[in-house]
Amino acid sequence: MSPTYALAVDLGGTKVEAALVDDHGAVLASSRHRSPTGPTATSEQLADAVESVVGRALAGLPAGSDLAGVGIGSAGPIAVADGAVSPLNLPAWRGYPLRDLVERLVPDVSVRVRLDGLCITLAEHWLGAGQGVDGLMGMVVSTGVGGGLILGGTTVSGPSGNAGHIGHIEVGGFDDRCACGGIGCLEAVASGPRTVAWARTQGWSGTTGEELSASYADGDPVAVAAVRRAGRAIGQAIASATNLVDLDVVAIGGGFSHVTPDLFDFVRAAVDERTVFEFARRVRVVPSALSGDGPLIGAAALIHRAALVA
């Protein structure tokens, strides 16, 4: 029997990626394509990027295979009712009808749009660090900071689709201004670009997360302070979320989460300082088990595991 595929699309602040993912969660490598996005891209350029990766991924559908639907994980905020997206780091798209665009490209199948953080959470619950866990938060720490929730074994999306977006929880002790208008938002403190920017204000001369990682490995004191600061903010937010919704596991992925394994030590230390209740102290903070495939697997899970998706 031929496998059934979902077309998975992951839209973020630096790239859009698409691939076919089978009903066991395996990404068909030959179908995987990406195009750049970025804060300076126009609406037309972003639409062209989506059309390009979707078309190239679909061209890789094996003969005789079925396409079950399209799952789209997008940086937020989103409007789940009409499939519109307004990614904070893509200012050209505000209320952009992404679902409509993809439905025109891939007619006659279901197209579902959810937050990228929720997709990460679905992926971890299905095949990663959250298997068998019904109180789970997945997090993306990358160009932005996102999140999603599974509580009682079912996703929690909220009426607009933006529940679990932990990047815009304000963390105490920080006054970094966020592009959303808030002050001290987790994304403004602990995303890769904002951590790099903070390090530069302290005299560090690098420009990328990869350079910050190398400086950290060399023991540069500013790089160490920057990563420690990001970890503390992430831990504070996780402690608050755990006390609010009684989490068992938090699985963290995204490019900047790999800056150093020590990041997780800083996160856990901040959680431990703020969770005196026994129910909250049981939360485990772990790296994503799915590496770079998580966003695509999670977007495909919107189709393959639709029964879990609120």
Side-chain angles (χ1 to χ4, degrees), residues 3-30:
T4 298
Y5 289 94
L7 175 63
V9 181
D10 174 45
L11 174 68
T14 57
K15 64 176 176 60
V16 59
E17 189 168 19
L20 296 166
V21 181
D22 71 18
D23 49 4
H24 298 289
V27 178
L28 182 63
S30 62

PDB file of all heavy atoms in Angstrom, residues 3-30:
ATOM      1  N   PRO A   3       2.083   5.012   0.770  1.00  0.00           N
ATOM      2  CA  PRO A   3       1.864   5.867   1.935  1.00  0.00           C
ATOM      3  C   PRO A   3       0.984   7.059   1.587  1.00  0.00           C
ATOM      4  O   PRO A   3       0.879   7.472   0.437  1.00  0.00           O
ATOM      5  CB  PRO A   3       3.281   6.312   2.309  1.00  0.00           C
ATOM      6  CG  PRO A   3       4.058   6.219   1.040  1.00  0.00           C
ATOM      7  CD  PRO A   3       3.476   5.058   0.301  1.00  0.00           C
ATOM      8  N   THR A   4       0.342   7.589   2.616  1.00  0.00           N
ATOM      9  CA  THR A   4      -0.420   8.824   2.486  1.00  0.00           C
ATOM     10  C   THR A   4       0.438   9.965   2.993  1.00  0.00           C
ATOM     11  O   THR A   4       1.057   9.869   4.060  1.00  0.00           O
ATOM     12  CB  THR A   4      -1.722   8.744   3.298  1.00  0.00           C
ATOM     13  OG1 THR A   4      -2.526   7.690   2.773  1.00  0.00           O
ATOM     14  CG2 THR A   4      -2.490  10.058   3.230  1.00  0.00           C
ATOM     15  N   TYR A   5       0.476  11.052   2.246  1.00  0.00           N
ATOM     16  CA  TYR A   5       1.320  12.193   2.598  1.00  0.00           C
ATOM     17  C   TYR A   5       0.467  13.400   2.963  1.00  0.00           C
ATOM     18  O   TYR A   5      -0.652  13.581   2.455  1.00  0.00           O
ATOM     19  CB  TYR A   5       2.233  12.573   1.431  1.00  0.00           C
ATOM     20  CG  TYR A   5       3.334  11.586   1.170  1.00  0.00           C
ATOM     21  CD1 TYR A   5       3.173  10.565   0.235  1.00  0.00           C
ATOM     22  CD2 TYR A   5       4.542  11.658   1.862  1.00  0.00           C
ATOM     23  CE1 TYR A   5       4.191   9.647  -0.004  1.00  0.00           C
ATOM     24  CE2 TYR A   5       5.569  10.744   1.632  1.00  0.00           C
ATOM     25  CZ  TYR A   5       5.385   9.746   0.699  1.00  0.00           C
ATOM     26  OH  TYR A   5       6.387   8.843   0.471  1.00  0.00           O
ATOM     27  N   ALA A   6       1.026  14.218   3.823  1.00  0.00           N
ATOM     28  CA  ALA A   6       0.541  15.579   4.022  1.00  0.00           C
ATOM     29  C   ALA A   6       1.605  16.516   3.489  1.00  0.00           C
ATOM     30  O   ALA A   6       2.816  16.240   3.613  1.00  0.00           O
ATOM     31  CB  ALA A   6       0.287  15.859   5.495  1.00  0.00           C
ATOM     32  N   LEU A   7       1.174  17.616   2.898  1.00  0.00           N
ATOM     33  CA  LEU A   7       2.108  18.659   2.512  1.00  0.00           C
ATOM     34  C   LEU A   7       2.264  19.580   3.722  1.00  0.00           C
ATOM     35  O   LEU A   7       1.286  20.176   4.192  1.00  0.00           O
ATOM     36  CB  LEU A   7       1.598  19.437   1.305  1.00  0.00           C
ATOM     37  CG  LEU A   7       2.450  20.637   0.889  1.00  0.00           C
ATOM     38  CD1 LEU A   7       3.839  20.205   0.459  1.00  0.00           C
ATOM     39  CD2 LEU A   7       1.768  21.427  -0.217  1.00  0.00           C
ATOM     40  N   ALA A   8       3.467  19.681   4.247  1.00  0.00           N
ATOM     41  CA  ALA A   8       3.740  20.501   5.424  1.00  0.00           C
ATOM     42  C   ALA A   8       4.446  21.776   4.995  1.00  0.00           C
ATOM     43  O   ALA A   8       5.388  21.744   4.196  1.00  0.00           O
ATOM     44  CB  ALA A   8       4.627  19.730   6.404  1.00  0.00           C
ATOM     45  N   VAL A   9       3.980  22.913   5.539  1.00  0.00           N
ATOM     46  CA  VAL A   9       4.566  24.213   5.242  1.00  0.00           C
ATOM     47  C   VAL A   9       4.904  24.889   6.563  1.00  0.00           C
ATOM     48  O   VAL A   9       4.066  24.948   7.476  1.00  0.00           O
ATOM     49  CB  VAL A   9       3.590  25.102   4.444  1.00  0.00           C
ATOM     50  CG1 VAL A   9       4.235  26.451   4.125  1.00  0.00           C
ATOM     51  CG2 VAL A   9       3.151  24.399   3.151  1.00  0.00           C
ATOM     52  N   ASP A  10       6.125  25.388   6.666  1.00  0.00           N
ATOM     53  CA  ASP A  10       6.592  26.089   7.868  1.00  0.00           C
ATOM     54  C   ASP A  10       7.016  27.493   7.467  1.00  0.00           C
ATOM     55  O   ASP A  10       7.985  27.666   6.723  1.00  0.00           O
ATOM     56  CB  ASP A  10       7.763  25.333   8.504  1.00  0.00           C
ATOM     57  CG  ASP A  10       8.376  26.079   9.669  1.00  0.00           C
ATOM     58  OD1 ASP A  10       7.611  26.600  10.510  1.00  0.00           O
ATOM     59  OD2 ASP A  10       9.624  26.147   9.751  1.00  0.00           O
ATOM     60  N   LEU A  11       6.274  28.498   7.969  1.00  0.00           N
ATOM     61  CA  LEU A  11       6.553  29.899   7.633  1.00  0.00           C
ATOM     62  C   LEU A  11       7.125  30.609   8.844  1.00  0.00           C
ATOM     63  O   LEU A  11       6.483  30.667   9.901  1.00  0.00           O
ATOM     64  CB  LEU A  11       5.268  30.606   7.195  1.00  0.00           C
ATOM     65  CG  LEU A  11       5.391  32.120   6.956  1.00  0.00           C
ATOM     66  CD1 LEU A  11       6.270  32.406   5.743  1.00  0.00           C
ATOM     67  CD2 LEU A  11       4.010  32.750   6.798  1.00  0.00           C
ATOM     68  N   GLY A  12       8.336  31.153   8.684  1.00  0.00           N
ATOM     69  CA  GLY A  12       8.980  31.856   9.782  1.00  0.00           C
ATOM     70  C   GLY A  12       9.622  33.149   9.342  1.00  0.00           C
ATOM     71  O   GLY A  12       9.492  33.576   8.186  1.00  0.00           O
ATOM     72  N   GLY A  13      10.355  33.747  10.268  1.00  0.00           N
ATOM     73  CA  GLY A  13      10.907  35.066  10.051  1.00  0.00           C
ATOM     74  C   GLY A  13      12.095  35.120   9.115  1.00  0.00           C
ATOM     75  O   GLY A  13      12.452  36.203   8.624  1.00  0.00           O
ATOM     76  N   THR A  14      12.722  33.974   8.818  1.00  0.00           N
ATOM     77  CA  THR A  14      13.865  33.966   7.912  1.00  0.00           C
ATOM     78  C   THR A  14      13.650  33.087   6.684  1.00  0.00           C
ATOM     79  O   THR A  14      14.332  33.257   5.682  1.00  0.00           O
ATOM     80  CB  THR A  14      15.141  33.490   8.623  1.00  0.00           C
ATOM     81  OG1 THR A  14      14.912  32.186   9.182  1.00  0.00           O
ATOM     82  CG2 THR A  14      15.527  34.456   9.728  1.00  0.00           C
ATOM     83  N   LYS A  15      12.699  32.142   6.758  1.00  0.00           N
ATOM     84  CA  LYS A  15      12.505  31.238   5.627  1.00  0.00           C
ATOM     85  C   LYS A  15      11.099  30.660   5.657  1.00  0.00           C
ATOM     86  O   LYS A  15      10.408  30.669   6.683  1.00  0.00           O
ATOM     87  CB  LYS A  15      13.509  30.077   5.666  1.00  0.00           C
ATOM     88  CG  LYS A  15      13.338  29.175   6.875  1.00  0.00           C
ATOM     89  CD  LYS A  15      14.273  27.994   6.837  1.00  0.00           C
ATOM     90  CE  LYS A  15      14.179  27.145   8.101  1.00  0.00           C
ATOM     91  NZ  LYS A  15      12.828  26.587   8.348  1.00  0.00           N
ATOM     92  N   VAL A  16      10.674  30.146   4.492  1.00  0.00           N
ATOM     93  CA  VAL A  16       9.504  29.302   4.398  1.00  0.00           C
ATOM     94  C   VAL A  16       9.974  27.980   3.805  1.00  0.00           C
ATOM     95  O   VAL A  16      10.789  27.950   2.868  1.00  0.00           O
ATOM     96  CB  VAL A  16       8.386  29.935   3.548  1.00  0.00           C
ATOM     97  CG1 VAL A  16       8.849  30.241   2.127  1.00  0.00           C
ATOM     98  CG2 VAL A  16       7.147  29.051   3.547  1.00  0.00           C
ATOM     99  N   GLU A  17       9.482  26.901   4.370  1.00  0.00           N
ATOM    100  CA  GLU A  17       9.933  25.572   3.965  1.00  0.00           C
ATOM    101  C   GLU A  17       8.711  24.696   3.747  1.00  0.00           C
ATOM    102  O   GLU A  17       7.685  24.851   4.425  1.00  0.00           O
ATOM    103  CB  GLU A  17      10.827  24.978   5.058  1.00  0.00           C
ATOM    104  CG  GLU A  17      11.520  23.702   4.676  1.00  0.00           C
ATOM    105  CD  GLU A  17      12.605  23.313   5.677  1.00  0.00           C
ATOM    106  OE1 GLU A  17      12.571  23.812   6.819  1.00  0.00           O
ATOM    107  OE2 GLU A  17      13.477  22.508   5.316  1.00  0.00           O
ATOM    108  N   ALA A  18       8.802  23.773   2.797  1.00  0.00           N
ATOM    109  CA  ALA A  18       7.716  22.842   2.537  1.00  0.00           C
ATOM    110  C   ALA A  18       8.296  21.469   2.221  1.00  0.00           C
ATOM    111  O   ALA A  18       9.403  21.351   1.679  1.00  0.00           O
ATOM    112  CB  ALA A  18       6.833  23.318   1.385  1.00  0.00           C
ATOM    113  N   ALA A  19       7.533  20.448   2.572  1.00  0.00           N
ATOM    114  CA  ALA A  19       7.941  19.073   2.281  1.00  0.00           C
ATOM    115  C   ALA A  19       6.737  18.162   2.425  1.00  0.00           C
ATOM    116  O   ALA A  19       5.726  18.518   3.053  1.00  0.00           O
ATOM    117  CB  ALA A  19       9.056  18.608   3.218  1.00  0.00           C
ATOM    118  N   LEU A  20       6.843  16.987   1.857  1.00  0.00           N
ATOM    119  CA  LEU A  20       5.846  15.945   2.051  1.00  0.00           C
ATOM    120  C   LEU A  20       6.257  15.088   3.243  1.00  0.00           C
ATOM    121  O   LEU A  20       7.423  14.719   3.380  1.00  0.00           O
ATOM    122  CB  LEU A  20       5.742  15.077   0.795  1.00  0.00           C
ATOM    123  CG  LEU A  20       5.257  15.807  -0.458  1.00  0.00           C
ATOM    124  CD1 LEU A  20       5.524  14.968  -1.705  1.00  0.00           C
ATOM    125  CD2 LEU A  20       3.767  16.138  -0.337  1.00  0.00           C
ATOM    126  N   VAL A  21       5.270  14.794   4.092  1.00  0.00           N
ATOM    127  CA  VAL A  21       5.511  14.013   5.306  1.00  0.00           C
ATOM    128  C   VAL A  21       4.481  12.890   5.341  1.00  0.00           C
ATOM    129  O   VAL A  21       3.270  13.142   5.229  1.00  0.00           O
ATOM    130  CB  VAL A  21       5.385  14.885   6.571  1.00  0.00           C
ATOM    131  CG1 VAL A  21       5.674  14.063   7.828  1.00  0.00           C
ATOM    132  CG2 VAL A  21       6.322  16.084   6.491  1.00  0.00           C
ATOM    133  N   ASP A  22       4.945  11.648   5.507  1.00  0.00           N
ATOM    134  CA  ASP A  22       3.989  10.539   5.469  1.00  0.00           C
ATOM    135  C   ASP A  22       3.282  10.368   6.807  1.00  0.00           C
ATOM    136  O   ASP A  22       3.546  11.084   7.780  1.00  0.00           O
ATOM    137  CB  ASP A  22       4.661   9.248   4.989  1.00  0.00           C
ATOM    138  CG  ASP A  22       5.628   8.633   6.002  1.00  0.00           C
ATOM    139  OD1 ASP A  22       5.574   8.961   7.209  1.00  0.00           O
ATOM    140  OD2 ASP A  22       6.455   7.802   5.580  1.00  0.00           O
ATOM    141  N   ASP A  23       2.354   9.419   6.856  1.00  0.00           N
ATOM    142  CA  ASP A  23       1.518   9.269   8.037  1.00  0.00           C
ATOM    143  C   ASP A  23       2.227   8.590   9.198  1.00  0.00           C
ATOM    144  O   ASP A  23       1.627   8.353  10.255  1.00  0.00           O
ATOM    145  CB  ASP A  23       0.210   8.549   7.700  1.00  0.00           C
ATOM    146  CG  ASP A  23       0.412   7.273   6.907  1.00  0.00           C
ATOM    147  OD1 ASP A  23       1.577   6.878   6.671  1.00  0.00           O
ATOM    148  OD2 ASP A  23      -0.598   6.670   6.500  1.00  0.00           O
ATOM    149  N   HIS A  24       3.513   8.300   9.030  1.00  0.00           N
ATOM    150  CA  HIS A  24       4.358   7.852  10.143  1.00  0.00           C
ATOM    151  C   HIS A  24       5.289   8.968  10.621  1.00  0.00           C
ATOM    152  O   HIS A  24       6.140   8.740  11.482  1.00  0.00           O
ATOM    153  CB  HIS A  24       5.174   6.622   9.740  1.00  0.00           C
ATOM    154  CG  HIS A  24       4.331   5.433   9.379  1.00  0.00           C
ATOM    155  ND1 HIS A  24       3.624   4.705  10.322  1.00  0.00           N
ATOM    156  CD2 HIS A  24       4.062   4.863   8.181  1.00  0.00           C
ATOM    157  CE1 HIS A  24       2.961   3.732   9.723  1.00  0.00           C
ATOM    158  NE2 HIS A  24       3.217   3.805   8.428  1.00  0.00           N
ATOM    159  N   GLY A  25       5.178  10.140  10.016  1.00  0.00           N
ATOM    160  CA  GLY A  25       5.999  11.278  10.413  1.00  0.00           C
ATOM    161  C   GLY A  25       7.341  11.358   9.728  1.00  0.00           C
ATOM    162  O   GLY A  25       8.197  12.152  10.137  1.00  0.00           O
ATOM    163  N   ALA A  26       7.545  10.578   8.675  1.00  0.00           N
ATOM    164  CA  ALA A  26       8.815  10.610   7.945  1.00  0.00           C
ATOM    165  C   ALA A  26       8.765  11.691   6.868  1.00  0.00           C
ATOM    166  O   ALA A  26       7.827  11.732   6.057  1.00  0.00           O
ATOM    167  CB  ALA A  26       9.111   9.254   7.320  1.00  0.00           C
ATOM    168  N   VAL A  27       9.780  12.556   6.866  1.00  0.00           N
ATOM    169  CA  VAL A  27       9.876  13.614   5.868  1.00  0.00           C
ATOM    170  C   VAL A  27      10.515  13.048   4.602  1.00  0.00           C
ATOM    171  O   VAL A  27      11.576  12.416   4.657  1.00  0.00           O
ATOM    172  CB  VAL A  27      10.715  14.797   6.395  1.00  0.00           C
ATOM    173  CG1 VAL A  27      10.864  15.883   5.331  1.00  0.00           C
ATOM    174  CG2 VAL A  27      10.087  15.373   7.666  1.00  0.00           C
ATOM    175  N   LEU A  28       9.851  13.228   3.463  1.00  0.00           N
ATOM    176  CA  LEU A  28      10.402  12.787   2.184  1.00  0.00           C
ATOM    177  C   LEU A  28      11.463  13.801   1.764  1.00  0.00           C
ATOM    178  O   LEU A  28      11.149  14.903   1.305  1.00  0.00           O
ATOM    179  CB  LEU A  28       9.285  12.688   1.146  1.00  0.00           C
ATOM    180  CG  LEU A  28       9.685  12.183  -0.238  1.00  0.00           C
ATOM    181  CD1 LEU A  28      10.215  10.752  -0.171  1.00  0.00           C
ATOM    182  CD2 LEU A  28       8.493  12.272  -1.192  1.00  0.00           C
ATOM    183  N   ALA A  29      12.728  13.430   1.939  1.00  0.00           N
ATOM    184  CA  ALA A  29      13.820  14.396   1.789  1.00  0.00           C
ATOM    185  C   ALA A  29      13.854  15.038   0.409  1.00  0.00           C
ATOM    186  O   ALA A  29      14.152  16.228   0.266  1.00  0.00           O
ATOM    187  CB  ALA A  29      15.153  13.710   2.089  1.00  0.00           C
ATOM    188  N   SER A  30      13.543  14.267  -0.620  1.00  0.00           N
ATOM    189  CA  SER A  30      13.617  14.798  -1.981  1.00  0.00           C
ATOM    190  C   SER A  30      12.557  15.861  -2.256  1.00  0.00           C
ATOM    191  O   SER A  30      12.662  16.613  -3.226  1.00  0.00           O
ATOM    192  CB  SER A  30      13.479  13.662  -2.991  1.00  0.00           C
ATOM    193  OG  SER A  30      12.221  13.017  -2.856  1.00  0.00           O
TER     194      SER A  30
END
